[in-house]
Amino acid sequence: MTVSQTGQRKRSAKDFTWKNILKHREKYILVLPGLAWYAVFAYIPIFGLSLAFKKYMARMGLFGSPWIGLANFENVFADPAFLQSIFTTLRINAGRLLFVFPFPIFLALILNEVRLGRPKKILQSIFTFPHFLSWVIVASIMVNILGQRGMVNSLMGGLFGAKPVSFLGIPSYFLPLIYLTDIWKSAGWSAIIYMAAISGIDTEQYEAAEIDGSTRLQRMWYITLPGIKPTIVVLFILAMGYLMSGGFDQVFNLSNPATIRVAETLDMYIYRITFRGSVDFSFSAAVALFRSVINMVLLFTADRITKRFGGSGLLA
Amino acid sequence: MNAKVKKAETGFRERFEMLDGVILAFLLVLAAIIVIPFVNVIATSFASQKEASESALLLVPRQPTIDNYYRLFQDPRILIGYKTTALILLLGVPINLILTTSLAYGLTRINFPGAKFLFFAVLLTMLFNGGIVPMYLLMMQLGLTKSIWSVILAYGVNTFYFIVMRTYMTTLPESLIESAKIDGASELQVLFRIILPLSKPIIATILLFYAVDRWNEWFNAMVFLRRNDLIPLQLVLRTIVMDSTIVNSLSISGPRVPRFTEGIQTAAIIVTMLPIMLVFPFLQKYFLKGIMIGAIKA
Amino acid sequence: MKGTKRLVCLILSVVLSLGLAAGALAKEYERVVISYTGPQVVAGYDYNTGDEYSKFILEKFNFEFQPVNVPWGDWNSMLSTWIMSQDMTDVGNFNYGDGTHADASNFVSQGLLKRLPDDWKTRWPKVAEVYSKTSLGPTLEELYGGTYFIPRARFFYNLPGDPLANHWSLWLRSDWIEAVGKEVKNHYTIPEVLEIAQLIKEQDPGQVGAALVPISMDNGNAARFFVEANSTYWDTFYKGEDGKYAWGAATPDTLEGLKLWYKAYSTGILDPEYYLLTYEKDMEKFQTLGTAGVSYLGGQTADVENYRILFERRTGFAKDDFLFATLLGADGNYHQRDLINFWGTICFRPDVDEAVFERWMDLMEFTASEEGYPGTQMGLKGVDWDRDANGEIISLVPPGTLLAGAVGEGKYPSLGHVLGSVILWDDLALDNPNIGKQYRDESRALYANRYEFSTPETFVKADWNLWLSFTENLRRARGIDYAVEYSNLVTNASSEEDLVKRYEAWLESQMSLIQPVLDELNP
């Protein structure tokens, strides 16, 4: 980028002199509306996180409420189920990164290779369908398919005389179930971002490669994939930043009492603890802050590592 | 142009072999895995409770009924829901897009003082948020509760989308911008004449994402709006479905007509999906690359 | 002449006093706007122009109504968010419970709710009378030193007893019970039910075939059936005979319930995938498909006839094949803790306009009176119902008329626990002539036998000391989802010995949550 052209220019570009700022005034005007929104609607409420160290008293307001130090955190950590749920969350989401994350990339790559216009459009539409189904519905479909009286068991019974298996009630089947259903539901939708990135690749590169006599697999590997690499890297780093969150609806709806030991994520733990009442804002703030800090550490670690290995990272 | 198309066509026939076959077969299997359960959803929405629960995987209802849709639409709330959601979409999505696009482009040009810091500050909001109470107090201070603007403004920029768009823009050839700047174009002119036309695929994508998010929005409306004549569609559907589920477990007295919850849910999903699926093909052409790569540019 | 004069005087004075009396009765209300939050508000429904009943109420009390619906699942968090932000509606329906008591006492101590004037009981005597029977109301008043919450009573005119029995009941197929040679009655112990279910599984009297589910229950109802019905303190702490608190999960009754559960699960008489059932699928199998022999579900007076009608319409079996019964533990006793005679509590914003507050109190007074309270469920007096010469309520609508119900279905969608109700429907249902008398009598009998088959040790009053405690330790311990935990033990066990082993290990693993609570409760 221009920033790194010469050391001198780099320094001068960052100088907070009026002249320099005036020179870039157009850019400030461009970013102003967006930043104003962030300042008001993201940064003012962020101070609410201070509740993690306070006891919220409505009459005294957010800022006037008394400090109570780390008491909220002590309460959070006192429950062994809390730490267990963190472990479960990381386990489930790390697996997601490994098994679910690559699939939309793959899907986008091969969809891009379909050379019949209409089927391509129809196929892509079909792949986005499941995104609109709620997990409640997906879960009930899964019961229809994988239940003891469901499709799979009927088939297995009919073909091999196998005894019906309760696929959804066996703890060791739970993680594969999560990943497969996640791919089923979201791969097509997530692929859209990659499809868009592919559309942005300069077509001249393909023409030149075609003239050079490259095969399609080669072009996929040497042009398309590198072309969307910045997008992949950024999405990967962001996904790292979500390792502690996400997936509540899915895990909640697909888990059941038989599999709860391997399924209770942090979100489900919080839901269980708070469902019967007591809306403790300080408790919620403490959990949220804890989660955010871990997410942040993971995200910036991922960003660092990418940069070390020659990637451009988030701040490209 | 003609010659090129011809060349591409012959090239196409020549090379329709293994790779195309494998890809197509794979995608068709994948599509089937998606379509079969999906047909089940559609069938359930047109089935009676008895039929839906008797068959292991209902694909074609023997006695189709529109009872579930009738129940759904009989409720006057649905109209309020459509009205409110349409309002949120029409006011909200343009604001989302303008904020996101200008910010994304502005922060690709990070050679101005404070740019990196600003980008970092934006990034942090993705990880930290203050929760619902501070947000509510803020909206109250601004006098926006009970107004549609609370819902619109509570969701301005999605940081994730902002980063995706910005990443896309950084991959655009720098030389185009530089030469335009040398020609004396202002940043705004560069944005409108060069960046936006080249960013159509990502703008279409982000537009779709924002529209779907807005379409699915209910939580902010529930917290901030507190009005009985302004309820987004998703909140209406949620209450309709909830009414028939949680109530019993709370053992509250009152008249209970047990309903076919799944039937209404699936009908609601079909009703919710349709508008998006109708818009989808129009946006799709922007992020689906042309078939004959060589032919497009000519 | 004198006589005429006297007569005129008499007539005049009578007219005058009648006029005065009438004036006193029909207060001249000045128009106000009242906002209200509750989950029972019909979302999107315009109460101001809605139906004749809401119009009647709004005209009589001359106010514009601005109701706010909160979805059931978000009820606590929404209302609390608004109260904590000091921006609640004029009137709110707060979901009081041992879990939300911490919030409530927080609201009170911070002055976020209105303290009712000390003379409110003399100004609104009928509301006060209902209030006195809710047990929660007076308890809280003593705790807070004033009234902040008015609980809505489940029962007032027809209170079955103290402690209050729950309506949850066995649903049984009496035709199948007869076919397998067992006695049809209105109470069974858990082992008796299991025996019947076993016979139904073996003989399949209804010729259902592979779809037959002898016992159809979802996870929550299975826990109620096997554990709650056998072990009074299955999910809480209790004060033992030695005056010390102990943990109910560790009692022999609980383990016995788990063993029964495991027996039913491992022999296949309980739906083998009961834990996958959501959205009342257990009910569906009994009521819609007719493939289940036993369920454990709601049995409110308002529903006992209605459920049977639906059963007959959907399955084609006779109404009478559907039997309601009380479930007793293996020891033959009915086990339950006081249901507590309230559901939802009315509260006001601290700076509520005096006229608004008084109007709502007047409205509640009206709906608690003999004049107004039948209307909350039966519609308009003189149109839908009336009282005969003996004061008995009589119905003026044809049988089967749906008075309350969804928009487009019921005659008055506004009927519900929104417009001023402080007495819930369980009560009037027992006198409601729109429900067949035989069913109301049946319901009374079901309530009665719960008292008959119980001892003060198995059917116990509320332990307010425990109920009103909300230390951090208790809060965490209350987060344990017992139905899920027990079910996890049952489904993962490979034999009864294994179940006991798992159960003991589980008890041990929870001690880090439980011991601190016990230490607090037993100083």
Side-chain angles (χ1 to χ4, degrees), chain A residues 79-282:
Chain A
D79 190 343
F82 173 74
L83 287 172
Q84 178 64 39
S85 74
I86 288 174
F87 173 71
T88 307
T89 311
L90 288 172
R91 198 163 83 113
I92 290 180
N93 286 341
R96 248 189 246 276
L97 219 50
L98 214 62
F99 302 113
V100 181
F101 182 80
F103 201 85
I105 304 170
F106 173 66
L107 190 62
L109 282 178
I110 62 170
L111 251 178
N112 186 50
E113 292 300 320
V114 175
R115 295 188 294 170
L116 304 161
R118 192 165 274 269
K120 184 181 189 173
K121 279 189 173 168
I122 295 172
L123 278 172
Q124 203 209 355
S125 302
I126 288 176
F127 296 147
T128 57
F129 279 174
H131 175 75
F132 297 97
L133 300 181
S134 60
W135 279 109
V136 177
I137 294 287
V138 177
S140 75
I141 296 173
M142 287 303 143
V143 173
N144 283 342
I145 295 177
L146 296 173
Q148 286 204 354
R149 293 172 48 75
M151 207 170 64
V152 173
N153 272 314
S154 315
L155 262 170
M156 304 263 279
L159 292 178
F160 314 108
K163 267 191 173 173
V165 179
S166 190
F167 293 104
L168 297 167
I170 299 171
S172 56
Y173 289 1
F174 184 70
L175 286 185
L177 178 78
I178 288 290
Y179 302 142
L180 286 174
T181 50
D182 197 2
I183 288 176
W184 183 83
K185 187 171 183 292
S186 65
W189 187 252
S190 312
I192 292 177
I193 292 182
Y194 298 111
M195 301 292 289
I198 291 174
S199 296
I201 297 173
D202 193 354
T203 45
E204 278 167 15
Q205 290 186 52
Y206 289 98
E207 285 165 6
E210 205 175 350
I211 291 161
D212 290 346
S214 61
T215 68
R216 279 169 68 197
L217 277 176
Q218 281 172 328
R219 268 173 277 156
M220 253 164 109
W221 190 256
Y222 292 109
I223 300 174
T224 317
L225 203 55
I228 60 172
K229 198 181 130 203
T231 307
I232 297 175
V233 169
V234 163
L235 291 190
F236 184 81
I237 296 171
L238 294 181
M240 285 288 288
Y242 282 122
L243 269 183
M244 278 283 282
S245 19
F248 173 76
D249 278 345
Q250 184 193 14
V251 179
F252 184 76
N253 283 298
L254 287 175
S255 64
N256 56 60
T259 56
I260 195 71
R261 285 279 166 273
V262 292
E264 192 174 83
T265 58
L266 181 56
D267 285 322
M268 280 177 67
Y269 168 78
I270 293 167
Y271 178 83
R272 171 163 72 81
I273 289 291
T274 52
F275 181 74
R276 285 187 64 223
S278 221
V279 187
D280 189 331
F281 298 114
S282 296

Side-chain angles (χ1 to χ4, degrees), chain B residues 8-9 11 28 38 41 48 83 141 168 223 237 255 261 285 289:
Chain B
E9 272 177 354
L28 283 176
F38 208 78
V41 170
S48 68
K83 217 179 62 193
Q141 290 296 314
Y168 183 95
V223 182
L237 296 179
T261 311
K285 69 175 181 219
K289 208 176 175 78

Side-chain angles (χ1 to χ4, degrees), chain B residues 149-160:
Chain B
W149 289 103
S150 58
V151 178
I152 308 261
L153 290 174
Y155 185 55
V157 184
N158 180 316
T159 308
F160 181 78

